[in-house]
Amino acid sequence: MRKILVIARLTFLLALRNGMVWGTLGLTAGTAVFIFFASTGDNVLLNELKLRIHYSYALSYSLLTLIVISISCFTVRSQIDARQIHLLTALPISRRDIWIGKWLGLTLIAALAECVLIVVIFLSSSVYCRSYSAEEAKIAKDNFLFARYENKPVTVAIEEKISERIETLVRETDLARNEVNEKIWNSIEQQVRREHQLVPTNGGKSWHFKIKRAPREGEKVDLEFRFYAENRRTPIQGTWTLSAPGKVEAFTADFSALPYEFNTIRIPAEQIPASGEFDLRFNGKDNPEVIFGIKTGVRIYQTDVTLLVNIIKAFCAQLIHLSVTAAVGLTAGVAFTFSVASFFSIVLYLLSLSSGFFAGVANELTHRFSFDLMDRIGIGIINFGIWLTKGLDPPDIIASLSSGISIPIHQLLLQWGPGIFIYGVVVALLGICLLTRKELDKILI
Amino acid sequence: MGTDTEKNPVIGGIGLEKTFKDFWGRKKVAALKNVDITVKDGSVFGLLGPNGAGKSTLIKLILGHLYPTRGRLSVLGKSPRDVSIKQRIGYLPERSYLYANLTAAETLSYFGAILDLSKDQIASRSAQLLEMVGLETVRNRRIGEFSHGMTRRMGLAQALLNDPELLILDEPTAGLDPVGCREVKDLIVTLGKRGKTILLTSHLLADVEDVCDEILLLYGGTVQSCGSVTDLLQDHEKTCLEFPKVSEQALASAMNILTEEIPRDSVSVSSPSESLEAHFLKVVAKSNAENRETAGARMGKGVAEYLQDNDYETRYHTDPAAAAETAAVTNRIDPNSKLSELTRDAKAKHENLTGDQTETPDHEALQYLVEPGPEPSAITTHEEGIRKNVLDKLADDGEN
């Protein structure tokens, strides 16, 4: 371990001396500041700040990832090409330890850059908030100093609902199962999707919630909702009702809100049952057809952690991501020349950024009544591509952090964690294996 | 029956072949073909050959940087890829592969840490090595700012940091000034005396001849010649005598005795001239003795003490007097080093110019440069008789 740490220190010191560390810090910080002050939103107090933080953080983090990949490729490749690694391998240290030491050194550089990025965005936000009045500053502090936990409604998967409907159709009609063709399947799917989001004229809709924990006394619990209607300038009126099994009196709140906007209703903490499980019902008053989006339709927010804790969670998740990108860069640098290695690993990263799009395409292809061979091949290729790049996918936390929403670390570790962990281990093993087996000189007579 | 050294050579390779292939696996270059090599424990082994003969490839195989296509190779009794043996190996590559952005002291510190040396050991050895290679005044300068020769000296220092049992020197004198070359040769001789095994390659055949016990000559990837230097180079058909200047009469008498045995035209008589190397060393030693300023490497202060003595570090850590002694720079000079001797004489000469001490004759200061080679092992009794006669004649002439 001591030797690994020596190599890590050496890697860091060399990067510091040849300007790579300063370049990384300067570029990241410069980009963050530039984007923060160059971007503009809708000039609404909090939205503007959130948007600036989001854009600045997301873009400078993407740049940081690309820089980490490049310096990882460069660090190992330049030492192989300049044969400095020959001296190291002539010393009593295994090539595995050299690889791990270099990876640790690069991760240290990435951690430093990540710290600088967070501090720069925080300072930029502070400078920006100086123009706020005292009241505006208080609102901003209330929204940002404590991160809120986002609770989503419990929903049934669309595929399950479609299957249920088909079962009902077969049971209640003369239709045989093998007569359910693509046309019928598509029609049912559209109907299910529509019902999933639509509130009919003068109608209502319920959502079931199971929140993270029962709120403490005096804790802020907010219902946030957004809906779409044909006429976006006409306010919609209605009532929200919170009910739970065993709860004698339901909590109700009337509202009047414009479509397309985020609206918030505060729910007293004592109205939430100890189990944290309840139903929330929307009833319109003379309302037209409205649609509640699947992603941002109805949410319950509750106070969770301080801003600092949220930042630490974000830092840890992103550091894991950056360390895996460093591993990819190192492995590519061992395997290929610098230019090929940089190109290869950057393309992998860019593909990982768009893995959401490809996952959507694969999802669309999967939601079909029947598949022919070409469909299956297409889905297979896309899924393989997603699998190949998924591990490099950055954690989806920047939007949460910039909106003051608590990062669900347990969900993150369950959904994103295993993928990146396995990816990191596979890439590291590949890199160590390549470096260990590699002959250090191709021709040196 | 062979000895342990013969049974377990430090480096033993049988039927070594190395073929470089292209991306498609097609044969590109056959760098080594059926090479056998045996480097005995405690020997100074020279690897010779023109450019492209396969010397560096063989060294890379020994270091485990390349893997043989065919054949078996063991280094210190294990596979060259075994990490544990690297603790006992020192390696000076043919060019500087050191980190340009580290200072000399930092380089030794990092390498020392990888070699598992304690902080005290690193500090003590670094100081001695930097003095030995004449870089103590630039210990905090980055290696990227060094001249080529200085980086070679630095490379030598890092190769010796672990006091290796096997020292592999790839072109050790390339890029060094004559002082540096002499120092390297002194070092090799000192280490050789301590029983260290040294494998070196060089294009400077005189250097190899000066220090090596055995050589292996490669050409086109195959062994052309292998054996001890004495056996390979000695001309048993000739005899050489060297003595101070004598009178013409004594020479003529000696010639008369010689011509009784051999034809007159097979005897040559001449006065040896001082070599350029000897002259250069004399000038640098004088400047060094006068403490003239230089931004580059200084003349080394002799072989580092821990490299001269197997028990040095034990004494250093247990005997405070030894530690204090080591702290004094002048005490680090190896009294047996020929360059130290040269420096002492140059100093004495400098003092003579400014004081009243007796001047030391130059030929004594440079005596090591004209020392006769090893005694021929196969001189016949008849040849000895002739030589004795000539020497007696010359002695008589000197008395008269």
Side-chain angles (χ1 to χ4, degrees):
Chain A
M1 189 61 194
R2 185 179 166 226
K3 290 178 183 177
I4 291 176
L5 292 178
V6 171
I7 297 291
R9 266 173 40 217
L10 183 64
T11 305
F12 185 82
L13 183 67
L14 289 171
L16 193 72
R17 293 264 170 92
N18 66 20
M20 273 199 299
V21 172
W22 297 116
T24 304
L25 300 186
L27 262 173
T28 313
T31 308
V33 171
F34 175 76
I35 294 172
F36 186 92
F37 289 103
S39 53
T40 50
D42 55 5
N43 271 328
V44 175
L45 187 69
L46 285 180
N47 286 354
E48 183 76 17
L49 185 58
K50 285 176 186 176
L51 180 135
R52 283 170 187 257
I53 294 173
H54 190 173
Y55 281 8
S56 153
Y57 201 164
L59 287 171
S60 41
Y61 180 76
S62 297
L63 180 71
L64 175 61
T65 312
L66 294 176
I67 293 173
V68 168
I69 287 174
S70 301
I71 63 171
S72 306
C73 293
F74 179 77
T75 300
V76 68
R77 185 31 71 179
S78 65
Q79 291 201 5
I80 291 173
D81 290 345
R83 294 182 182 154
Q84 285 160 336
I85 211 154
H86 289 207
L87 266 188
L88 280 184
T89 51
L91 295 172
I93 180 169
S94 67
R95 295 188 189 187
R96 179 199 63 197
D97 288 356
I98 292 174
W99 194 96
I100 296 173
K102 284 193 178 300
W103 172 74
L104 268 183
L106 289 164
T107 303
L108 189 63
I109 296 169
L112 187 66
E114 175 70 12
C115 281
V116 168
L117 175 60
I118 289 170
V119 169
V120 161
I121 290 175
F122 186 79
L123 290 177
S124 301
S125 306
S126 303
V127 169
Y128 181 76
C129 287
R130 278 187 190 170
S131 61
Y132 283 6
S133 66
E135 194 185 348
E136 287 171 337
K138 189 179 176 303
I139 294 170
K141 275 185 182 174
D142 284 350
N143 270 273
F144 280 100
L145 286 185
F146 285 94
R148 303 169 305 154
Y149 186 83
E150 186 183 54
N151 295 285
K152 295 172 186 171
V154 180
T155 51
V156 181
I158 285 178
E159 293 78 10
E160 276 183 42
K161 283 191 176 177
I162 295 170
S163 302
E164 266 177 40
R165 288 288 171 87
I166 289 173
E167 288 299 322
T168 312
L169 190 70
V170 169
R171 204 169 45 240
E172 292 176 0
T173 62
D174 294 336
L175 194 71
R177 184 174 293 278
N178 57 6
E179 287 174 335
V180 179
N181 58 21
E182 191 168 0
K183 201 174 171 185
I184 296 170
W185 195 92
N186 285 344
S187 156
I188 291 172
E189 191 213 356
Q190 280 182 17
Q191 196 182 352
V192 167
R193 281 184 185 277
R194 191 176 159 78
E195 283 172 9
H196 196 69
Q197 302 174 75
L198 187 81
V199 179
T201 307
N202 294 324
K205 182 172 170 58
S206 288
W207 289 267
H208 182 71
F209 279 90
K210 188 174 186 338
I211 63 172
K212 186 186 175 191
R213 57 170 171 77
R216 289 179 291 270
E217 195 179 336
E219 190 179 315
K220 290 173 190 169
V221 180
D222 291 328
L223 159 67
E224 192 176 278
F225 62 95
R226 181 164 78 157
F227 54 80
Y228 307 99
E230 200 173 345
N231 187 349
R232 61 190 302 168
R233 293 185 183 278
T234 309
I236 307 284
Q237 293 182 336
T239 308
W240 284 99
T241 308
L242 187 149
S243 61
K247 193 169 182 296
V248 180
E249 199 174 329
F251 166 76
T252 56
D254 295 331
F255 74 91
S256 173
L258 283 170
Y260 291 89
E261 286 188 1
F262 283 102
N263 307 281
T264 306
I265 291 173
R266 177 141 301 170
I267 302 172
E270 59 273 16
Q271 295 293 336
I272 309 287
S275 64
E277 209 166 341
F278 56 88
D279 287 317
L280 204 55
R281 182 164 180 81
F282 167 86
N283 283 310
K285 284 180 188 165
D286 303 326
N287 64 298
E289 266 190 354
V290 291
I291 290 170
F292 284 84
I294 294 172
K295 284 190 176 172
T296 55
V298 185
R299 295 284 182 269
I300 299 282
Y301 291 97
Q302 57 185 134
T303 311
D304 193 29
V305 291
T306 60
L307 175 65
L308 183 65
V309 173
N310 214 25
I311 286 176
I312 291 171
K313 284 198 269 186
F315 175 81
C316 293
Q318 288 183 330
L319 188 59
I320 292 171
H321 175 245
L322 287 174
S323 68
V324 172
T325 57
V328 170
L330 265 182
T331 299
V334 171
F336 309 115
T337 60
F338 174 65
S339 47
V340 175
S342 307
F343 176 77
F344 174 76
S345 36
I346 287 172
V347 164
L348 268 185
Y349 174 63
L350 293 178
L351 281 174
S352 78
L353 286 181
S354 51
S355 65
F357 167 76
F358 289 110
V361 173
N363 202 29
E364 286 297 318
L365 284 171
T366 327
H367 283 139
R368 297 176 73 168
F369 174 72
S370 62
F371 306 97
D372 59 20
L373 182 65
M374 290 311 288
D375 288 334
R376 287 180 197 281
I377 291 172
I379 292 167
I381 290 171
I382 291 172
N383 281 332
F384 176 72
I386 291 169
W387 175 83
L388 198 64
T389 58
K390 187 73 183 165
L392 271 180
D393 202 6
D396 188 15
I397 55 173
I398 292 176
S400 302
L401 192 66
S402 56
S403 304
I405 293 171
S406 172
I407 294 163
I409 201 79
H410 55 286
Q411 280 178 28
L412 200 67
L413 289 177
L414 281 173
Q415 290 167 8
W416 171 81
I420 196 150
F421 177 76
I422 292 168
Y423 199 84
V425 169
V426 169
V427 166
L429 288 177
L430 186 65
I432 291 168
C433 185
L434 281 171
L435 186 62
T436 309
R437 296 181 63 86
K438 196 176 182 71
E439 287 191 297
L440 292 176
D441 271 310
K442 277 297 170 197
I443 293 186
L444 187 74
I445 297 168
Chain B
M1 242 171 91
T3 62
D4 279 356
T5 308
E6 283 164 347
K7 276 182 191 168
N8 301 310
V10 173
I11 300 171
I14 299 167
L16 291 174
E17 286 187 18
K18 180 65 191 172
T19 306
F20 292 102
K21 292 176 180 170
D22 67 8
F23 181 79
W24 306 107
R26 291 176 302 193
K27 189 173 159 186
K28 207 170 171 186
V29 177
L32 290 175
K33 297 166 206 160
N34 198 25
V35 170
D36 293 343
I37 180 172
T38 305
V39 179
K40 291 177 207 153
D41 189 14
S43 65
V44 181
F45 194 95
L47 202 54
L48 301 176
N51 292 336
K55 303 185 296 292
S56 294
T57 301
L58 187 53
I59 284 190
K60 302 286 172 197
L61 290 179
I62 290 165
L63 286 165
H65 291 169
L66 292 175
Y67 314 138
T69 311
R70 197 167 296 160
R72 278 185 295 136
L73 177 64
S74 78
V75 179
L76 294 163
K78 292 186 176 175
S79 158
R81 291 167 73 178
D82 191 318
V83 175
S84 65
I85 60 164
K86 308 280 173 82
Q87 188 72 42
R88 297 150 67 194
I89 297 177
Y91 169 52
L92 172 72
E94 80 270 39
R95 269 171 285 167
S96 172
Y97 300 149
L98 296 166
Y99 296 105
N101 285 312
L102 292 186
T103 65
E106 284 169 344
T107 301
L108 293 181
S109 169
Y110 277 108
F111 279 68
I114 295 172
L115 287 162
D116 265 339
L117 300 180
S118 68
K119 282 185 180 172
D120 286 347
Q121 276 181 317
I122 292 171
S124 157
R125 289 184 179 190
S126 297
Q128 291 180 56
L129 284 169
L130 289 174
E131 277 163 13
M132 185 188 91
V133 297
L135 296 176
E136 75 275 20
T137 55
V138 290
R139 56 181 292 121
N140 293 320
R141 204 196 286 176
R142 290 191 188 178
I143 290 172
E145 296 166 9
F146 282 6
S147 70
H148 177 62
M150 288 162 84
T151 52
R152 295 295 296 163
R153 286 162 180 263
M154 190 59 222
L156 190 63
Q158 71 78 24
L160 294 167
L161 196 56
N162 55 336
D163 190 12
E165 282 173 43
L166 168 63
L167 184 61
I168 298 173
L169 304 171
D170 202 353
E171 307 278 355
T173 52
L176 288 181
D177 55 31
V179 177
C181 292
R182 187 68 251 173
E183 284 170 352
V184 168
K185 286 194 270 185
D186 273 351
L187 175 82
I188 293 171
V189 170
T190 307
L191 293 175
K193 279 181 191 164
R194 272 186 65 201
K196 304 284 184 185
T197 310
I198 298 161
L199 172 69
L200 68 93
T201 71
S202 180
H203 289 296
L204 302 173
L205 304 181
D207 290 351
V208 176
E209 195 181 337
D210 277 354
V211 296
C212 287
D213 307 327
E214 288 183 81
I215 54 170
L216 184 145
L217 217 153
L218 287 170
Y219 185 86
T222 53
V223 177
Q224 301 297 319
S225 142
C226 182
S228 80
V229 176
T230 317
D231 290 347
L232 290 173
L233 302 184
Q234 195 170 57
D235 186 349
H236 295 293
E237 300 300 315
K238 286 182 182 171
T239 304
C240 179
L241 284 173
E242 203 171 272
F243 42 83
K245 189 173 180 180
V246 293
S247 67
E248 290 287 330
Q249 192 187 358
L251 263 184
S253 304
M255 286 293 280
N256 286 337
I257 296 170
L258 288 171
T259 49
E260 286 173 12
E261 298 286 331
I262 48 176
R264 174 69 183 83
D265 58 359
S266 64
V267 180
S268 71
V269 179
S270 64
S271 294
S273 57
E274 187 183 54
S275 71
L276 185 58
E277 185 193 14
H279 182 70
F280 182 90
L281 289 173
K282 197 165 69 177
V283 170
V284 174
K286 186 166 172 284
S287 303
N288 206 47
E290 290 168 7
N291 285 325
R292 293 212 178 136
E293 281 189 13
T294 172
R298 296 184 64 83
M299 198 163 172
K301 305 253 168 103
V303 178
E305 203 159 311
Y306 81 91
L307 293 172
Q308 296 176 31
D309 184 353
N310 286 329
D311 299 327
Y312 167 74
E313 280 182 343
T314 317
R315 280 194 296 107
Y316 182 84
H317 290 292
T318 53
D319 180 6
E325 190 186 335
T326 309
V329 169
T330 49
N331 286 351
R332 288 206 186 90
I333 300 173
D334 174 8
N336 300 319
S337 155
K338 285 161 183 172
L339 268 182
S340 303
E341 193 182 324
L342 188 64
T343 309
R344 269 202 306 277
D345 289 336
K347 261 189 183 166
K349 198 173 173 185
H350 176 61
E351 282 163 9
N352 285 338
L353 293 174
T354 54
D356 57 358
Q357 293 177 29
T358 316
E359 189 175 336
T360 313
D362 279 351
H363 71 266
E364 281 184 25
L366 298 170
Q367 190 186 359
Y368 73 92
L369 292 171
V370 288
E371 272 180 351
E375 283 291 316
S377 56
I379 295 177
T380 61
T381 316
H382 181 63
E383 281 173 327
E384 277 174 1
I386 295 172
R387 194 164 69 164
K388 189 169 181 302
N389 280 343
V390 172
L391 288 172
D392 288 347
K393 183 69 189 164
L394 290 171
D396 290 347
D397 185 64
E399 281 168 14
N400 295 332

